[in-house]
Amino acid sequence: MKVGILTGGGDCPGLNPVIRAIVRSVHNAGGHTIGFLEGWRGAIEGNFEELTPDGTDGIISKGGTILGSSRTNPYKNEKDVDTLIETYNRLGLDTLIAIGGDDTLGVASKLYSERGLNTIGVPKTIDNDLSSTDVTFGFDTCINIVMEAVDRLRTTAESHRRVVVIETMGRHAGWIACYSGIATAADFTLVPEVEVDFEKMCNLLTERRKNGKKYGIVVVSEGAKLSNDDEFITKDAEVDDFGHVSLGGIGDHVANVIEERTGFETRCVTLGHLQRGGTPSAYDRVLGTRLGIHAGRLAKDKNFGKMVALRGTEIVAVPLKDAVTTMRELTPAILSELEEFYTS
Ligand code: F6P
């Protein structure tokens, strides 16, 4: 059995534990694994390296992906899909395991359903917005990075009697902002799922200041909108291969509104790619390892067109096509828990 793997889209902590576990699981089944470099680009160009259990054993603590990543979309130019399939056949692959978010897995799903390629998916993203799995690896490490940053910002905010606005990643789902807001006792958290209510936020900050709190912490998700009719705030007009714009900039806007309406000195900190860097947490190492083992087992069982997923405490296989159809948003239950603290 010869298995090709690749990591596509934005990197995240936990990718290397997945790679290590797939290599081991495939090896235990008598097969071997090659790793395509830089996502779908490597699979198109036939750019790969051999992966062995010995060579990958120590990568569990390393952030990012040893294979490199890209946002290359083979379907942007249908000829690339043909080249990719030629590469797959030329290398004598039995299976291709794609580790990625909705874009990468969407390609894997189409290659399976439209071109009959033996693909398997492993869900990853710091955004935690994939349906069909309860949690994505990378998310836990990410919210711990945000938590540590906010804990540090709290002391300087308090010293200077300021409000600090922290802008997080997460695209169009508010998981990172919501969990970080809860974990850091933020005064207010703005997420894409709820229309921004500046009046409520500023009144709360003012009330708390009157009650003696000398600083404020506001967490805002990059995908939050200023009103239901507004567009998202983007860095520029450029889109990637999958048609996504780069979000970012709402934090500065929110900081200006707070300063104008409350009179409190306010600063904005955009955490950006810090949130995706560094060593994975224990949770993400274990989740990544478990998903990788099961992806290897699916390859062994020739159970293609599936994605491994966490359901409760078990790793299960779900159809790839179902995994990429809907974005998972914050639930009303978690939103109501977040809002429990919006009282002065
Ligand atoms: O999907 C992961 C993510 O980090 C998003 O939260 C963010 O909007 C985007 O990727 C940033 O992408 P890039 O690394 O291309 O700037």
Side-chain angles (χ1 to χ4, degrees):
M1 173 172 65
K2 189 169 178 185
V3 176
I5 63 176
L6 60 85
T7 51
D11 72 337
C12 81
L15 286 165
N16 287 326
V18 178
I19 294 169
R20 170 179 175 266
I22 294 174
V23 172
R24 175 70 61 173
S25 161
V26 169
H27 171 82
N28 291 348
H32 79 278
T33 308
I34 63 166
F36 287 111
L37 303 181
E38 296 157 15
W40 292 112
R41 185 159 61 222
I44 296 165
E45 294 172 357
N47 195 8
F48 68 92
E49 61 186 41
E50 297 286 340
L51 298 171
T52 63
D54 282 350
T56 51
D57 208 40
I59 63 173
I60 196 160
S61 59
K62 205 169 180 283
T65 159
I66 58 161
L67 298 177
S69 192
S70 71
R71 295 196 189 275
T72 305
N73 179 4
Y75 279 93
K76 203 174 165 200
N77 174 358
E78 198 79 18
K79 259 188 18 223
D80 284 344
V81 178
D82 296 332
T83 314
L84 187 154
I85 291 169
E86 275 162 36
T87 304
Y88 178 97
N89 290 329
R90 178 168 53 80
L91 296 173
L93 291 179
D94 298 297
T95 309
L96 182 57
I97 301 179
I99 312 163
D102 51 354
D103 295 330
T104 306
L105 297 180
V107 172
S109 178
K110 268 173 104 173
L111 286 171
Y112 172 74
S113 61
E114 295 177 3
R115 308 296 289 258
L117 221 66
N118 297 337
T119 56
I120 290 166
V122 180
K124 73 84 230 194
T125 169
I126 60 164
D127 302 340
N128 201 31
D129 61 350
L130 294 182
S131 53
S132 298
T133 187
D134 290 353
V135 186
T136 53
F137 67 84
F139 175 64
D140 181 69
T141 310
C142 171
I143 55 174
N144 276 287
I145 295 169
V146 179
M147 183 183 73
E148 197 192 319
V150 176
D151 286 348
R152 287 175 188 277
L153 290 166
R154 180 186 305 280
T155 61
T156 169
E158 189 166 12
S159 305
H160 288 270
R161 279 60 169 131
R162 284 174 175 156
V163 177
V164 176
V165 175
I166 298 99
E167 182 184 307
T168 69
M169 281 187 168
R171 277 209 206 273
H172 304 296
W175 293 97
I176 299 175
C178 176
Y179 271 53
S180 307
I182 292 173
T184 58
D187 294 290
F188 213 81
T189 303
L190 305 171
V191 292
E193 289 85 348
V194 180
E195 189 172 351
V196 168
D197 187 341
F198 283 132
E199 199 178 330
K200 189 171 168 187
M201 175 180 70
C202 292
N203 285 345
L204 187 60
L205 289 167
T206 307
E207 279 301 309
R208 288 187 175 176
R209 192 67 69 116
K210 275 192 206 142
N211 293 344
K213 186 172 183 181
K214 299 202 166 52
Y215 68 98
I217 298 287
V218 172
V219 177
V220 54
S221 171
E222 63 178 3
K225 292 194 290 181
L226 300 180
S227 82
N228 273 348
D229 303 327
D230 273 322
E231 286 296 309
F232 311 105
I233 298 188
T234 59
K235 286 191 188 126
D236 48 45
E238 262 181 51
V239 292
D240 68 15
D241 266 15
F242 291 90
H244 301 303
V245 286
S246 256
L247 298 174
I250 191 168
D252 280 319
H253 186 88
V254 171
N256 287 339
V257 171
I258 292 171
E259 201 160 82
E260 268 167 29
R261 295 199 186 184
T262 64
F264 303 143
E265 197 179 17
T266 306
R267 294 286 187 269
C268 169
V269 175
T270 301
L271 295 176
H273 293 85
L274 267 179
Q275 293 161 91
R276 294 212 313 243
T279 189
S281 65
Y283 182 88
D284 284 337
R285 292 182 198 194
V286 174
L287 178 57
T289 299
R290 294 185 69 203
L291 292 169
I293 291 169
H294 284 264
R297 289 182 185 167
L298 288 182
K300 184 184 112 196
D301 296 342
K302 302 189 192 312
N303 194 353
F304 306 123
K306 298 280 163 49
M307 183 189 89
V308 286
L310 179 72
R311 290 279 171 82
T313 56
E314 300 301 316
I315 305 295
V316 299
V318 299
L320 248 180
K321 66 171 171 27
D322 297 348
V324 293
T325 42
T326 42
M327 183 183 78
R328 201 163 60 94
E329 296 188 326
L330 288 171
T331 60
I334 186 82
L335 285 170
S336 81
E337 287 148 15
L338 176 71
E339 288 170 9
E340 191 75 21
F341 292 89
Y342 289 176
T343 44
S344 52

